[in-house]
Amino acid sequence: MISNEELHIVGESPLKGEVYISGAKNAALPILCAGLLTEEPIILNNVPELDDVKTILKLLEHLGAKTSKKNNQTIIQADTIHNTEAPYDLVKTMRASILVLGPLLARYGEARISLPGGCSIGQRPVDQHIKFLSALGAEIRMEQGFIIAKSKKLQGTVIKPDVVTVTGTENFMMAASLAKGTTIIENAACEPEITDLAHFLIQMGAKITGHGTRRIKIEGVNYLNGAKYVISPDRIEAGTFLCALATIGGCINLINVNPHEMTSTLHKLKEAGLEIEIGQNWLKCKMNKKPNAVNINTSEYPGLATDMQAQFMAMNTVANGTSSITENIFENRYMHVPELRRMGADITIDGNQAIIRGVNKLYGTTVKATDLRASASLVIAALASKGKTIIESIYHLDRGYEKMEEKLRMLGANILRAPRKE
């Protein structure tokens, strides 16, 4: 059920204190789906409390898996799968639901998956998933909005996606882990979440090498066992808090981070003027001036993530100077621009490029979140604005940020969640 809540934010309060970064949403979702590859239990630590995670758990339960939480651990056991269909009602809000396709096909030989939904930021076609699971030997057809796949036994092959696809790489890795023979994925995604999934699959007994590079090799095995694993920290959540700090000012410490996965983000934040001290699993950051405008070009990892684009745009709206942002991943990821303009931002869009001229001040008003990262950009802008901002449709925010308003409030922000007034 979609939450009918909103955020009330009174801006211009610097941030100060310590914040613990949650487990990565984009690592947790495929790892949870990988639980379908074994009849033994998997035990996961650092799984974030997010709506997307709740949706995946509901989907796994619908398929017949048993899920539970005990002592902050999430436990999945898929020894009683009685259903291989993922219905539209469970996948309509989240494209990551496509990640059950590979595991179901590999272990059970069939799957019926409704075409997934998610944020309206681009087409995100599933053609690469279909093309290369077919190359592994699956018979796949589209019928009435469903992907229907069958296979007696997947066979290893060489796969080279036409485009770099994160969820595609994850699906291929999971399916190939139980395929017969060797699979090589060329032009593979290199994101840290890919490496996280590979490490987890190896814990289960998979034979995978090359993860973190453009060429991943998987030698199929007959059986995967259960495993215990700790989900890696969310680099996007960490970057979001740092963009907020760079925009508003103050001094905060980030705990439970992997700075080495955030190189591009940290480089741009330093360029903006943020002072950063880097530890093994922490960041100590300070900002005592107006940010400098920075140019952004989104690209696949290790470049700057498209998931950080909106947050940097919010920072640039009040920065010294003019900046450009070029969105190279999704064709419809500027839906936050009209809302930022309502707050006084000076932004011009030309195709996939945005020109942002920094203004002296933003002003609070009522705005509407349009997607997950757009929500975060509006929170940042509201924290920097004069007066009160109301952000509607924050169910988008809850898909990818764990207790964001509580964490910000602990840092001194004037922010409250409230039921929406009709």
Side-chain angles (χ1 to χ4, degrees):
M1 182 176 177
I2 292 177
S3 169
N4 192 28
E5 295 177 314
E6 56 193 22
L7 288 179
H8 294 197
I9 302 172
V10 178
E12 301 188 302
S13 294
L15 302 180
K16 185 177 182 180
E18 185 173 280
V19 61
Y20 184 90
I21 298 302
S22 301
K25 173 181 88 85
N26 291 337
L29 298 181
I31 288 173
L32 287 166
C33 292
L36 292 170
L37 293 167
T38 178
E39 64 182 18
E40 297 180 16
I42 64 168
I43 301 171
L44 304 174
N45 287 286
N46 207 34
V47 176
E49 292 278 350
L50 303 170
D51 283 356
D52 275 9
V53 168
K54 293 174 186 175
T55 299
I56 280 290
L57 290 174
K58 285 180 183 177
L59 176 55
L60 294 177
E61 290 170 356
H62 171 81
L63 298 173
K66 296 185 285 287
T67 74
S68 61
K69 286 204 71 172
K70 185 178 181 181
N71 299 327
N72 294 320
Q73 294 179 323
T74 299
I75 304 164
I76 311 286
Q77 187 162 10
D79 60 341
T80 55
I81 297 299
H82 53 70
N83 188 3
T84 55
E85 177 176 317
Y88 179 70
D89 283 349
L90 282 175
V91 307
K92 63 184 177 182
T93 62
M94 187 180 63
R95 73 187 187 283
S97 51
I98 191 73
L99 289 169
V100 300
L101 175 58
L104 286 174
L105 194 56
R107 185 166 164 219
Y108 300 98
E110 62 180 21
R112 179 181 167 91
I113 312 297
S114 176
L115 288 171
C119 293
S120 304
I121 61 174
Q123 294 183 30
R124 307 179 185 217
V126 297
D127 61 316
Q128 299 297 296
H129 298 254
I130 294 170
K131 180 177 179 181
F132 290 106
L133 289 174
S134 297
L136 288 172
E139 296 178 4
I140 302 180
R141 70 182 191 274
M142 303 291 294
E143 186 177 286
Q144 296 180 325
F146 279 85
I147 302 168
I148 300 173
K150 290 188 177 182
S151 175
K152 292 182 179 179
K153 181 66 177 178
L154 298 178
Q155 300 287 327
T157 188
V158 177
I159 296 169
K160 188 174 182 180
D162 303 321
V163 295
V164 176
T165 163
V166 175
T167 54
T169 300
E170 291 164 344
N171 242 338
F172 308 151
M173 285 170 56
M174 290 188 284
S177 292
L178 287 178
K180 184 177 180 180
T182 300
T183 297
I184 294 174
I185 308 173
E186 305 278 6
N187 199 29
C190 300
E191 272 69 9
E193 295 78 20
I194 298 287
T195 301
D196 219 27
L197 174 61
H199 287 163
F200 177 66
L201 291 171
I202 291 168
Q203 285 278 101
M204 296 175 73
K207 296 180 179 179
I208 303 174
T209 56
H211 40 284
T213 75
R214 292 288 182 215
R215 187 177 191 270
I216 300 175
K217 182 179 179 181
I218 305 110
E219 296 178 32
V221 297
N222 292 324
Y223 180 85
L224 291 172
N225 49 256
K228 292 183 178 181
Y229 197 73
V230 180
I231 303 296
S232 63
D234 196 320
R235 62 194 173 101
I236 304 301
E237 184 193 17
T240 299
F241 275 97
L242 293 185
C243 277
L245 178 65
T247 306
I248 306 153
C251 179
I252 64 174
N253 297 339
L254 267 57
I255 307 299
N256 188 43
V257 294
N258 187 340
H260 302 294
E261 296 178 352
M262 298 176 61
T263 302
S264 296
T265 296
L266 295 180
H267 173 75
K268 282 296 175 183
L269 287 165
K270 287 180 179 178
E271 189 180 325
L274 189 67
E275 298 178 32
I276 304 174
E277 183 181 344
I278 299 176
Q280 184 176 352
N281 63 349
W282 53 265
L283 293 167
K284 185 175 182 178
C285 304
K286 183 168 66 174
M287 190 72 165
N288 54 17
K289 61 181 180 180
K290 198 177 176 78
N292 304 316
V294 296
N295 297 327
I296 298 294
N297 275 276
T298 64
S299 64
E300 296 90 359
Y301 190 84
L304 192 91
T306 179
D307 279 356
M308 285 303 305
Q309 176 256 108
Q311 298 91 309
F312 272 105
M313 181 180 286
M315 183 196 76
N316 278 337
T317 62
V318 294
N320 287 319
T322 299
S323 59
S324 67
I325 293 180
T326 305
E327 174 55 63
N328 297 303
I329 306 299
F330 293 118
E331 72 278 4
N332 192 28
R333 204 161 200 181
Y334 286 141
M335 293 191 294
H336 46 286
V337 170
E339 305 304 304
L340 290 173
R341 285 175 178 155
R342 285 174 51 78
M343 303 173 78
D346 185 350
I347 307 171
T348 303
I349 301 295
D350 184 9
N352 70 331
Q353 187 176 66
I355 303 298
I356 305 103
R357 299 167 186 84
V359 298
N360 289 328
K361 195 168 289 294
L362 297 175
Y363 295 90
T365 186
T366 299
V367 291
K368 184 176 182 177
T370 53
D371 62 68
L372 171 52
R373 306 307 172 184
S375 306
S377 76
L378 296 180
V379 170
I380 292 171
L383 291 170
S385 294
K386 183 178 178 62
K388 182 177 180 179
T389 299
I390 296 174
I391 304 177
E392 299 176 344
S393 300
I394 60 168
Y395 60 88
H396 290 292
L397 193 75
D398 296 334
R399 289 185 50 230
Y401 290 95
E402 183 177 30
K403 301 175 182 176
M404 186 186 225
E405 77 280 3
E406 293 182 23
K407 292 182 179 182
L408 284 169
R409 197 158 50 243
M410 290 175 63
L411 296 174
N414 188 338
I415 178 171
L416 289 173
R417 179 183 291 254
R420 183 181 176 187
K421 294 180 180 179
E422 297 297 335

